[in-house]
Amino acid sequence: MLHVAARVLAAHPEANAALRGRSRVARYDGVHGKFTLDRTLGVRRVVLSAVLADLERAGLGEIQERVDHFRDGDPATMPEFAGVRVLQRLPGPLRTLAHRAATRPLRRRASTTGTFAVSSLGHRPVEAFHSVGGTTITLGLGATADRRPPGGP
């Protein structure tokens, strides 16, 4: 999904953008995909996200290697999650303010939240999906479900 979505956004650069307010628009040169991981950090089960930069230029094998790096790595020691570990140690209200300060500027948004996101919704059929992920486009993936009526084609 990361591979295909990156190519679609590269072909439609007007969709590879972010908007804040009514008139602030940032258009990005690269297509950066965010994906989520269900991991354990310390003693807590957490959902972590990683951004893979310039996916429009990466082949399927390279994208899989980059995903595997985050899937197989230890978030307690990976330098890519150093900021998350700092946030986790902060008190709740300060954590929220620090996160907003890091992700709010449009010029940094592509590297912090991606220009699109892919979210795995598990291995069950999905009835509905409402994104609150911070990217312009979020694709939710779940298991397929047979929707044919009984006795139908």
Side-chain angles (χ1 to χ4, degrees):
M1 186 55 66
L2 290 163
H3 182 262
V4 171
R7 272 134 187 86
V8 170
L9 286 174
H12 300 279
E14 66 280 2
N16 193 45
L19 175 69
R20 186 171 65 222
R22 293 184 180 180
S23 60
R24 301 239 5 209
V25 177
R27 299 189 197 310
Y28 303 110
D29 293 331
V31 181
H32 309 307
K34 177 177 82 170
F35 70 101
T36 55
L37 302 153
D38 183 353
R39 303 301 306 270
T40 300
L41 185 56
V43 296
R44 286 185 165 162
R45 183 175 176 200
V46 297
V47 175
L48 296 173
S49 64
V51 176
L52 305 179
D54 302 317
L55 290 177
E56 76 283 6
R57 294 191 293 262
L60 192 55
E62 179 186 347
I63 292 171
Q64 187 62 56
E65 286 176 13
R66 291 161 70 182
V67 168
D68 291 347
H69 167 76
F70 287 99
R71 185 196 64 208
D72 299 338
D74 181 0
T77 60
M78 293 176 71
E80 296 93 340
F81 293 123
V84 172
R85 292 189 300 269
V86 169
L87 283 176
Q88 191 180 37
R89 290 190 298 266
L90 295 175
L94 188 54
R95 181 182 318 137
T96 300
L97 288 172
H99 182 265
R100 282 186 190 154
T103 59
R104 183 170 166 81
L106 286 178
R107 70 185 183 283
R108 282 192 280 162
R109 187 130 346 136
S111 63
T112 58
T113 63
T115 62
F116 76 100
V118 173
S119 182
S120 171
L121 304 172
H123 302 292
R124 296 183 182 177
V126 176
E127 297 294 326
F129 173 71
H130 305 280
S131 172
V132 291
T135 58
T136 304
I137 297 170
T138 300
L139 305 168
L141 306 172
T144 58
D146 189 350
R147 301 276 187 209
R148 293 179 289 181

